[in-house]
Each structure stands twice: as structure tokens, then as C-alpha cells.
Amino acid sequence: MLQKVICIDDDPIALLLSKLVISKANFASEVVTLPNGLDGICYLEKEEVIVNYSNAAEPLLILLDLNMPVMGGWEFLEQFSARLAGYYVGTKIILLSSSIDPSDIQKSKQFDMVVDFFPKPLTKEILQTILQKIQQ
């Protein structure tokens, strides 16, 4: 079981479903939900969050939607890479999106911390695949 998973998505129903699936699968002790990429960056910039994860035994896992208002997933990835990746070494990001555009999947490969790309909604089977990928 992971200590914490961060879910960033503007759809409150998708966040609720993700939280329920993660809880029922005993995948993580804590789920932090945030409604857009900007809130995700602001959360990860907090000193206490940085301190907790700079010495963490396990990598941080972020489940990220692509299409969101305020700051979308692509901009989040760019900001995270430029400003925060040094604090969160080993972070794993899973893109969860309703997009089936092959160019989105290709673009996701430009970011080292992106482990995989899955369609919404999050399922128990997807969580099992994620766990295998992040433990490699």
C-alpha cells in the first residue's frame, strides 16, 4: 500500500470515483484530490509537502487529467518539470484522460516522470497495472 496518491482532475465525480476505487483496493493510505494543475503545483510547493517527500522511502504518485480549466495537465507537467522535479525525485505520474488522441500518448513520452497513459475512469485493474509499473 502506498502512503499517498495525489489525484488532479477538474471533474468532481471522477475524483470521487478515483478516491473510492483507491480506498476499496487498499492502494493508498491517503488520497489528496485537487481540481486543477495550478492547485497541484501550489500544493507541491508547500514546504511541509516538500520536506515529507524529499526523504520519502517511496516515490510520489500523481494521477493527472489532461483537459482542465485554470491549468491543464500539459502545463502542469511543464511547470512540475521546470520548478519541482528536483524536490520530488522519482515521482511517477499517470495520465488519466478521456482523450484517445494518439498524439497525446506520444507527447506524454516527452516527460520522464510520466509512467503511463490510461483512459478514464480509474479501475481496480488499472491500479494493479500502475502498481506493477511503479515498482519496476
Side-chain angles (χ1 to χ4, degrees), residues 37-77:
L38 181 59
D39 285 358
I41 293 295
C42 291
Y43 175 80
L44 292 168
E45 285 179 327
K46 291 180 182 177
E47 188 174 346
E48 66 270 15
V49 177
I50 291 172
V51 168
N52 285 342
Y53 275 94
S54 61
N55 298 317
E58 66 184 41
L60 178 61
L61 177 63
I62 300 172
L63 304 179
L64 178 66
D65 184 23
L66 289 179
N67 301 311
M68 297 178 283
V70 184
M71 179 188 285
W74 297 124
E75 191 177 353
F76 172 88
L77 287 168

Short mmCIF file of all heavy atoms in Angstrom, two decimals, residues 37-77:
data_model
loop_
_atom_site.label_atom_id
_atom_site.label_comp_id
_atom_site.label_asym_id
_atom_site.label_seq_id
_atom_site.Cartn_x
_atom_site.Cartn_y
_atom_site.Cartn_z
N GLY A 37 -4.42 21.80 -12.34
CA GLY A 37 -2.97 21.76 -12.26
C GLY A 37 -2.35 22.84 -11.41
O GLY A 37 -1.35 22.60 -10.72
N LEU A 38 -2.95 24.04 -11.41
CA LEU A 38 -2.41 25.12 -10.61
C LEU A 38 -2.48 24.77 -9.12
O LEU A 38 -1.52 24.97 -8.38
CB LEU A 38 -3.14 26.44 -10.89
CG LEU A 38 -2.63 27.65 -10.11
CD1 LEU A 38 -1.15 27.92 -10.39
CD2 LEU A 38 -3.47 28.88 -10.44
N ASP A 39 -3.62 24.24 -8.69
CA ASP A 39 -3.74 23.81 -7.30
C ASP A 39 -2.74 22.70 -6.99
O ASP A 39 -2.21 22.61 -5.89
CB ASP A 39 -5.16 23.34 -6.98
CG ASP A 39 -6.15 24.49 -6.83
OD1 ASP A 39 -5.73 25.67 -6.93
OD2 ASP A 39 -7.34 24.23 -6.63
N GLY A 40 -2.49 21.84 -7.98
CA GLY A 40 -1.48 20.78 -7.81
C GLY A 40 -0.09 21.36 -7.60
O GLY A 40 0.64 20.94 -6.68
N ILE A 41 0.29 22.34 -8.41
CA ILE A 41 1.60 22.99 -8.26
C ILE A 41 1.69 23.69 -6.91
O ILE A 41 2.69 23.55 -6.19
CB ILE A 41 1.86 23.98 -9.42
CG1 ILE A 41 2.03 23.23 -10.75
CG2 ILE A 41 3.08 24.86 -9.13
CD1 ILE A 41 3.23 22.32 -10.88
N CYS A 42 0.65 24.43 -6.55
CA CYS A 42 0.64 25.15 -5.25
C CYS A 42 0.77 24.17 -4.09
O CYS A 42 1.51 24.43 -3.13
CB CYS A 42 -0.63 25.98 -5.10
SG CYS A 42 -0.68 27.40 -6.23
N TYR A 43 0.07 23.05 -4.15
CA TYR A 43 0.16 22.04 -3.09
C TYR A 43 1.59 21.50 -2.99
O TYR A 43 2.15 21.38 -1.91
CB TYR A 43 -0.83 20.90 -3.37
CG TYR A 43 -0.71 19.75 -2.40
CD1 TYR A 43 -1.30 19.84 -1.14
CD2 TYR A 43 -0.03 18.59 -2.74
CE1 TYR A 43 -1.18 18.79 -0.24
CE2 TYR A 43 0.08 17.55 -1.84
CZ TYR A 43 -0.49 17.64 -0.59
OH TYR A 43 -0.37 16.60 0.30
N LEU A 44 2.17 21.17 -4.14
CA LEU A 44 3.51 20.57 -4.15
C LEU A 44 4.61 21.57 -3.79
O LEU A 44 5.72 21.17 -3.44
CB LEU A 44 3.79 19.94 -5.51
CG LEU A 44 2.93 18.71 -5.83
CD1 LEU A 44 3.06 18.33 -7.30
CD2 LEU A 44 3.28 17.55 -4.92
N GLU A 45 4.31 22.87 -3.88
CA GLU A 45 5.28 23.90 -3.50
C GLU A 45 5.32 24.13 -1.99
O GLU A 45 6.25 24.78 -1.50
CB GLU A 45 4.96 25.23 -4.18
CG GLU A 45 5.33 25.24 -5.64
CD GLU A 45 4.98 26.56 -6.31
OE1 GLU A 45 3.98 27.21 -5.94
OE2 GLU A 45 5.72 26.94 -7.23
N LYS A 46 4.35 23.61 -1.25
CA LYS A 46 4.32 23.83 0.20
C LYS A 46 5.54 23.17 0.84
O LYS A 46 5.86 22.02 0.55
CB LYS A 46 3.05 23.23 0.81
CG LYS A 46 1.80 23.97 0.43
CD LYS A 46 0.60 23.30 1.08
CE LYS A 46 -0.68 23.99 0.68
NZ LYS A 46 -1.86 23.32 1.24
N GLU A 47 6.18 23.91 1.72
CA GLU A 47 7.42 23.42 2.34
C GLU A 47 7.23 22.10 3.06
O GLU A 47 8.06 21.20 2.95
CB GLU A 47 7.96 24.48 3.31
CG GLU A 47 9.33 24.12 3.85
CD GLU A 47 9.94 25.22 4.69
OE1 GLU A 47 9.46 26.36 4.66
OE2 GLU A 47 10.91 24.92 5.39
N GLU A 48 6.13 21.94 3.79
CA GLU A 48 5.93 20.70 4.54
C GLU A 48 5.74 19.50 3.61
O GLU A 48 6.16 18.38 3.93
CB GLU A 48 4.77 20.80 5.54
CG GLU A 48 3.39 20.99 4.95
CD GLU A 48 2.98 22.45 4.75
OE1 GLU A 48 3.83 23.35 4.81
OE2 GLU A 48 1.79 22.68 4.52
N VAL A 49 5.15 19.72 2.44
CA VAL A 49 4.99 18.64 1.47
C VAL A 49 6.35 18.28 0.88
O VAL A 49 6.71 17.11 0.77
CB VAL A 49 3.99 19.03 0.36
CG1 VAL A 49 3.88 17.93 -0.69
CG2 VAL A 49 2.62 19.32 0.97
N ILE A 50 7.13 19.29 0.53
CA ILE A 50 8.48 19.06 0.00
C ILE A 50 9.32 18.29 1.01
O ILE A 50 9.97 17.30 0.67
CB ILE A 50 9.17 20.38 -0.39
CG1 ILE A 50 8.49 20.99 -1.61
CG2 ILE A 50 10.66 20.17 -0.66
CD1 ILE A 50 8.95 22.39 -1.97
N VAL A 51 9.30 18.71 2.27
CA VAL A 51 10.09 18.04 3.31
C VAL A 51 9.67 16.58 3.46
O VAL A 51 10.50 15.69 3.54
CB VAL A 51 9.97 18.79 4.66
CG1 VAL A 51 10.54 17.98 5.80
CG2 VAL A 51 10.67 20.14 4.56
N ASN A 52 8.37 16.32 3.45
CA ASN A 52 7.87 14.95 3.60
C ASN A 52 8.32 14.05 2.46
O ASN A 52 8.58 12.87 2.66
CB ASN A 52 6.35 14.92 3.70
CG ASN A 52 5.85 15.37 5.04
OD1 ASN A 52 6.59 15.41 6.02
ND2 ASN A 52 4.59 15.73 5.10
N TYR A 53 8.38 14.58 1.25
CA TYR A 53 8.70 13.74 0.10
C TYR A 53 10.17 13.76 -0.31
O TYR A 53 10.59 12.89 -1.04
CB TYR A 53 7.78 14.05 -1.08
CG TYR A 53 6.53 13.25 -0.93
CD1 TYR A 53 5.42 13.79 -0.31
CD2 TYR A 53 6.49 11.92 -1.31
CE1 TYR A 53 4.29 13.04 -0.11
CE2 TYR A 53 5.36 11.16 -1.10
CZ TYR A 53 4.27 11.72 -0.51
OH TYR A 53 3.15 10.97 -0.30
N SER A 54 10.94 14.71 0.16
CA SER A 54 12.36 14.70 -0.20
C SER A 54 13.08 13.54 0.49
O SER A 54 14.09 13.06 0.01
CB SER A 54 13.03 16.03 0.16
OG SER A 54 12.95 16.26 1.55
N ASN A 55 12.54 13.05 1.60
CA ASN A 55 13.14 11.93 2.33
C ASN A 55 12.26 10.69 2.33
O ASN A 55 12.50 9.76 3.08
CB ASN A 55 13.42 12.34 3.78
CG ASN A 55 14.40 13.49 3.86
OD1 ASN A 55 15.40 13.51 3.15
ND2 ASN A 55 14.11 14.46 4.72
N ALA A 56 11.23 10.66 1.50
CA ALA A 56 10.28 9.54 1.50
C ALA A 56 10.92 8.28 0.92
O ALA A 56 11.73 8.33 0.01
CB ALA A 56 9.04 9.91 0.69
N ALA A 57 10.52 7.16 1.49
CA ALA A 57 11.04 5.86 1.04
C ALA A 57 10.43 5.45 -0.30
O ALA A 57 11.03 4.71 -1.06
CB ALA A 57 10.77 4.80 2.09
N GLU A 58 9.23 5.93 -0.57
CA GLU A 58 8.56 5.56 -1.81
C GLU A 58 8.36 6.79 -2.68
O GLU A 58 8.27 7.91 -2.17
CB GLU A 58 7.20 4.91 -1.52
CG GLU A 58 6.20 5.84 -0.90
CD GLU A 58 4.90 5.17 -0.53
OE1 GLU A 58 4.92 4.05 -0.03
OE2 GLU A 58 3.85 5.81 -0.72
N PRO A 59 8.30 6.61 -3.99
CA PRO A 59 8.08 7.76 -4.87
C PRO A 59 6.66 8.29 -4.73
O PRO A 59 5.73 7.56 -4.37
CB PRO A 59 8.31 7.19 -6.26
CG PRO A 59 8.03 5.73 -6.13
CD PRO A 59 8.41 5.36 -4.73
N LEU A 60 6.50 9.55 -5.01
CA LEU A 60 5.20 10.18 -5.03
C LEU A 60 4.47 9.73 -6.29
O LEU A 60 5.07 9.67 -7.37
CB LEU A 60 5.36 11.70 -5.03
CG LEU A 60 4.10 12.55 -5.09
CD1 LEU A 60 3.21 12.29 -3.88
CD2 LEU A 60 4.46 14.02 -5.16
N LEU A 61 3.18 9.41 -6.18
CA LEU A 61 2.36 9.03 -7.32
C LEU A 61 1.29 10.09 -7.54
O LEU A 61 0.56 10.43 -6.62
CB LEU A 61 1.71 7.66 -7.11
CG LEU A 61 0.77 7.20 -8.23
CD1 LEU A 61 1.53 7.02 -9.55
CD2 LEU A 61 0.06 5.92 -7.84
N ILE A 62 1.23 10.59 -8.77
CA ILE A 62 0.23 11.59 -9.15
C ILE A 62 -0.59 11.03 -10.30
O ILE A 62 -0.05 10.57 -11.31
CB ILE A 62 0.90 12.92 -9.59
CG1 ILE A 62 1.74 13.50 -8.45
CG2 ILE A 62 -0.15 13.91 -10.07
CD1 ILE A 62 2.58 14.70 -8.85
N LEU A 63 -1.92 11.06 -10.14
CA LEU A 63 -2.84 10.70 -11.21
C LEU A 63 -3.35 12.01 -11.78
O LEU A 63 -3.96 12.81 -11.07
CB LEU A 63 -4.00 9.86 -10.68
CG LEU A 63 -3.60 8.58 -9.93
CD1 LEU A 63 -4.84 7.85 -9.42
CD2 LEU A 63 -2.77 7.66 -10.81
N LEU A 64 -3.09 12.25 -13.06
CA LEU A 64 -3.28 13.57 -13.65
C LEU A 64 -4.19 13.53 -14.88
O LEU A 64 -3.94 12.76 -15.81
CB LEU A 64 -1.91 14.14 -14.05
CG LEU A 64 -1.85 15.49 -14.73
CD1 LEU A 64 -2.30 16.60 -13.78
CD2 LEU A 64 -0.42 15.77 -15.22
N ASP A 65 -5.21 14.39 -14.86
CA ASP A 65 -6.06 14.58 -16.03
C ASP A 65 -5.36 15.58 -16.97
O ASP A 65 -4.54 16.39 -16.52
CB ASP A 65 -7.42 15.15 -15.59
CG ASP A 65 -8.43 15.29 -16.72
OD1 ASP A 65 -8.29 14.60 -17.74
OD2 ASP A 65 -9.36 16.11 -16.57
N LEU A 66 -5.68 15.53 -18.24
CA LEU A 66 -5.05 16.46 -19.19
C LEU A 66 -5.87 17.73 -19.41
O LEU A 66 -5.32 18.83 -19.39
CB LEU A 66 -4.84 15.77 -20.54
CG LEU A 66 -3.76 14.72 -20.58
CD1 LEU A 66 -3.67 14.10 -21.97
CD2 LEU A 66 -2.41 15.30 -20.17
N ASN A 67 -7.16 17.58 -19.63
CA ASN A 67 -8.00 18.71 -20.01
C ASN A 67 -8.72 19.29 -18.80
O ASN A 67 -9.72 18.73 -18.35
CB ASN A 67 -9.01 18.27 -21.08
CG ASN A 67 -8.31 17.74 -22.31
OD1 ASN A 67 -7.40 18.37 -22.82
ND2 ASN A 67 -8.71 16.58 -22.77
N MET A 68 -8.18 20.40 -18.29
CA MET A 68 -8.75 21.06 -17.12
C MET A 68 -8.67 22.57 -17.32
O MET A 68 -7.76 23.06 -17.97
CB MET A 68 -7.96 20.70 -15.86
CG MET A 68 -7.97 19.25 -15.48
SD MET A 68 -6.96 18.91 -14.01
CE MET A 68 -5.30 18.95 -14.71
N PRO A 69 -9.62 23.30 -16.72
CA PRO A 69 -9.52 24.76 -16.74
C PRO A 69 -8.43 25.23 -15.78
O PRO A 69 -7.90 24.43 -15.01
CB PRO A 69 -10.90 25.22 -16.27
CG PRO A 69 -11.40 24.09 -15.43
CD PRO A 69 -10.81 22.84 -16.02
N VAL A 70 -8.10 26.47 -15.80
CA VAL A 70 -7.09 27.13 -14.97
C VAL A 70 -5.69 26.69 -15.39
O VAL A 70 -4.91 27.49 -15.89
CB VAL A 70 -7.30 26.93 -13.45
CG1 VAL A 70 -6.27 27.71 -12.65
CG2 VAL A 70 -8.71 27.31 -13.04
N MET A 71 -5.35 25.42 -15.18
CA MET A 71 -4.08 24.87 -15.66
C MET A 71 -4.32 23.40 -15.99
O MET A 71 -4.67 22.61 -15.12
CB MET A 71 -2.97 24.99 -14.62
CG MET A 71 -1.64 24.40 -15.08
SD MET A 71 -0.35 24.33 -13.78
CE MET A 71 0.13 26.04 -13.69
N GLY A 72 -4.11 23.04 -17.24
CA GLY A 72 -4.30 21.67 -17.69
C GLY A 72 -3.11 20.79 -17.37
O GLY A 72 -2.09 21.24 -16.82
N GLY A 73 -3.23 19.53 -17.72
CA GLY A 73 -2.20 18.55 -17.44
C GLY A 73 -0.87 18.82 -18.11
O GLY A 73 0.19 18.64 -17.51
N TRP A 74 -0.89 19.27 -19.38
CA TRP A 74 0.37 19.54 -20.08
C TRP A 74 1.13 20.68 -19.40
O TRP A 74 2.34 20.59 -19.20
CB TRP A 74 0.13 19.86 -21.55
CG TRP A 74 -0.47 18.74 -22.32
CD1 TRP A 74 -1.62 18.76 -23.05
CD2 TRP A 74 0.04 17.40 -22.45
NE1 TRP A 74 -1.86 17.54 -23.61
CE2 TRP A 74 -0.86 16.68 -23.27
CE3 TRP A 74 1.16 16.74 -21.94
CZ2 TRP A 74 -0.67 15.33 -23.59
CZ3 TRP A 74 1.35 15.40 -22.26
CH2 TRP A 74 0.45 14.72 -23.08
N GLU A 75 0.41 21.75 -19.05
CA GLU A 75 1.07 22.87 -18.38
C GLU A 75 1.57 22.45 -17.00
O GLU A 75 2.66 22.85 -16.58
CB GLU A 75 0.12 24.06 -18.27
CG GLU A 75 0.83 25.33 -17.84
CD GLU A 75 -0.09 26.54 -17.80
OE1 GLU A 75 -1.25 26.45 -18.22
OE2 GLU A 75 0.38 27.59 -17.33
N PHE A 76 0.79 21.62 -16.30
CA PHE A 76 1.24 21.10 -15.01
C PHE A 76 2.56 20.36 -15.18
O PHE A 76 3.51 20.55 -14.41
CB PHE A 76 0.19 20.16 -14.39
CG PHE A 76 0.69 19.46 -13.15
CD1 PHE A 76 0.55 20.05 -11.90
CD2 PHE A 76 1.31 18.22 -13.24
CE1 PHE A 76 1.03 19.41 -10.76
CE2 PHE A 76 1.79 17.58 -12.11
CZ PHE A 76 1.65 18.18 -10.86
N LEU A 77 2.64 19.49 -16.18
CA LEU A 77 3.86 18.71 -16.42
C LEU A 77 5.05 19.62 -16.71
O LEU A 77 6.16 19.39 -16.21
CB LEU A 77 3.66 17.72 -17.56
CG LEU A 77 2.79 16.51 -17.23
CD1 LEU A 77 2.42 15.75 -18.50
CD2 LEU A 77 3.47 15.59 -16.23
#
